[in-house]
Amino acid sequence: MLQPPATDWNIDIHGAVALPDGSVVFNMVHAGLVKLDRNGNVVWKLYKDTHHSVEIAEDGGFWVCSTRYYDADSASPLPPFETPCREDTALRVSGDGKLLQEISIPKLFLDNGLETILTANGCSFDLDAWLDDEIVHLNKVAELSRDSAKNFPLFEPHDLAISIRGYNLLAVFSPSTKKIKWWKIGPWRRQHDPEFSPDGSIVLFNNNIYRDVFGRPPHASESRPDIPRVTNIMACNPVTDQCKVLYGGVKGQEFLSVIRGKVELTARNGLLITEYEGGRVFETDAEGRIVWEYINRYDENRVTEITGARIYPAEYFSETDWGAEG
C-alpha cells in the first residue's frame, strides 16, 4: 500500500531524466512516476511510491527506486522485521509506463544470506521519527552498460548498483538471478548516487556526515574531530578494493550536503556535482578546477535546494523545433 502525502505541499521532484524527443520522466516523491511530453502534457502516470532516482535502462524503459508500506495491521512481509515498515524496491518500468519488474531490496539481502547486515544498525541517527520504520533507505539504482561491462570483471552487462544510505552500503547484483555479486560498507558515510565509471570503478557522492549535525548536541564536529565534515566524491574499485577521493579532499574544494546530492561523470573527464542544500551545481574539469557553477538564489542571504542536474549534449535531442507546439 501507499502512504499518500498529507497535502500537495508534501511533494517534491527527486529523480528526473530528459528524453531525446524533449519529454521528461520524473518522480513526484512518494506519489508516483510521471511522463510529460515536451509541451507539459501528461503522457502516462505510474501510481507507485517512487523516490530518489530515475535512470534510463539500456534496452529501453527505466530503473526507479520505490517503496511499499505496510501498516501496523498488516502481517510482516519480511521477518524478523515487524510492521509498520517500509520495504524499498527497485522498479523496472517500460517506456510506456508499465511496471515490468519489482525487486525487494531487503528480500534480496535476506535471500543472499546477508540478514545480519540488515539487523546490524540499531540507530538511524536521523532526527525525523518517520524514517525509523524503513528497513533500508534505497537512494539509487544504476545499470551497468554493455560498453562499460568489459572493465568490470566481477559483473555482467545490466547488473545493478544500489546505494543503501543508512548502512553506508553499496552493492551490485543481477536483476535476473537476484545474486549479490559485491557489497561494501564504507569508507563513505550516508552516500548517494553511485554510477559505473568507464575506468572500472564505482563513483559516488559521499555525504560524509550524519544528519544530527542539525542540532543534536554535541555537534559531531566537536565530539569527533577525527572525522572530516566535508562532503566529497569518491571512487572504489570492486576488484582491488581501493578507494580514493576524486574531489573534495583538499583545501578550496569544500562543499557540503547532509542529505541528498548527486554526481555525474562528464565527457570531459570531469564531474558534475549537485550540492543539494547549498542550492548549487558546478562542473569540474579533469584537474578538479571549477569550470562553471550555478547557485539557485532565493534572495541575498538564502538559496533554494536543488535535487539534481544532468548534462545533455545538443546532439542527444532528436527534437529540433522547440516552439510552443512543435
Side-chain angles (χ1 to χ4, degrees):
M1 64 180 290
L2 272 72
Q3 270 195 316
T7 74
D8 290 345
W9 292 98
N10 289 76
I11 288 287
D12 69 336
I13 295 173
H14 192 189
V17 64
L19 302 180
D21 64 358
S23 60
V24 293
V25 176
F26 60 94
N27 290 321
M28 296 290 287
V29 177
H30 301 303
L33 186 69
V34 181
K35 180 178 182 180
L36 302 181
D37 68 18
R38 47 152 297 180
N39 294 310
N41 301 306
V42 176
V43 178
W44 50 256
K45 298 178 285 185
L46 179 64
Y47 187 54
K48 297 288 285 185
D49 189 341
T50 58
H51 53 85
H52 278 92
S53 73
V54 179
E55 299 295 327
I56 295 175
E58 187 171 38
D59 290 336
F62 312 92
W63 283 105
V64 189
C65 299
S66 186
T67 299
R68 290 191 286 229
Y69 176 73
Y70 300 86
D71 63 24
D73 296 326
S74 304
S76 174
L78 297 161
F81 302 101
E82 299 179 351
T83 57
C85 67
R86 299 172 189 267
E87 175 191 21
D88 274 8
T89 64
L91 305 183
R92 176 73 187 273
V93 179
S94 69
D96 59 355
K98 303 294 191 302
L99 180 61
L100 301 176
Q101 187 179 13
E102 185 166 18
I103 302 168
S104 166
I105 302 304
K107 188 174 188 301
L108 178 74
F109 278 80
L110 295 175
D111 290 348
N112 277 267
L114 297 172
E115 175 188 318
T116 52
I117 291 178
L118 301 186
T119 58
N121 186 357
C123 178
S124 69
F125 298 100
D126 287 316
L127 295 179
D128 298 314
W130 68 269
L131 288 174
D132 290 345
D133 57 10
E134 290 183 320
I135 299 174
V136 300
H137 184 99
L138 178 70
N139 59 34
K140 177 68 178 285
V141 181
E143 184 183 58
L144 178 60
S145 69
R146 292 185 184 90
D147 284 345
S148 294
K150 61 182 180 291
N151 299 314
F152 289 88
L154 300 181
F155 312 139
E156 297 177 48
H158 311 312
D159 283 351
L160 301 177
I162 56 174
S163 168
I164 299 179
R165 186 197 69 180
Y167 295 93
N168 307 318
L169 186 146
L170 299 182
V172 177
F173 73 96
S174 164
S176 56
T177 67
K178 311 298 190 302
K179 178 184 177 183
I180 294 178
K181 299 181 177 182
W182 174 85
W183 61 272
K184 184 173 176 63
I185 294 175
W188 41 81
R189 300 175 181 87
R190 301 307 192 251
Q191 77 294 326
H192 287 74
D193 203 30
E195 62 177 280
F196 295 101
S197 170
D199 69 1
S201 65
I202 297 175
V203 173
L204 62 134
F205 187 100
N206 177 24
N207 297 75
N208 203 30
I209 193 168
Y210 304 119
R211 208 167 171 177
D212 61 2
V213 75
F214 279 136
R216 181 184 298 165
H219 291 310
S221 58
E222 297 168 359
S223 61
R224 290 293 305 277
D226 57 306
I227 298 178
R229 290 309 176 199
V230 178
T231 300
N232 59 46
I233 307 302
M234 294 191 72
C236 181
N237 186 307
V239 174
T240 66
D241 204 38
Q242 299 267 317
C243 300
K244 62 181 179 180
V245 173
L246 300 180
Y247 185 88
V250 299
K251 188 172 176 56
Q253 295 184 353
E254 297 90 349
F255 68 104
L256 177 67
S257 275
V258 179
I259 60 173
R260 302 195 183 186
K262 293 187 181 295
V263 60
E264 177 183 308
L265 303 170
T266 71
R268 294 178 285 210
N269 296 316
L271 301 167
L272 181 71
I273 298 172
T274 302
E275 186 182 0
Y276 168 70
E277 287 158 318
R280 177 178 176 233
V281 176
F282 60 99
E283 181 184 352
T284 71
D285 63 15
E287 283 71 48
R289 296 171 299 202
I290 294 178
V291 178
W292 59 265
E293 70 175 3
Y294 168 73
I295 298 175
N296 195 25
R297 294 199 178 277
Y298 179 77
D299 59 25
E300 232 178 77
N301 301 309
R302 292 174 292 178
V303 298
T304 301
E305 298 157 335
I306 301 178
T307 56
R310 296 179 188 263
I311 292 177
Y312 295 99
E315 58 270 21
Y316 171 81
F317 293 99
S318 57
E319 180 61 61
T320 57
D321 180 5
W322 294 96
E325 297 294 333

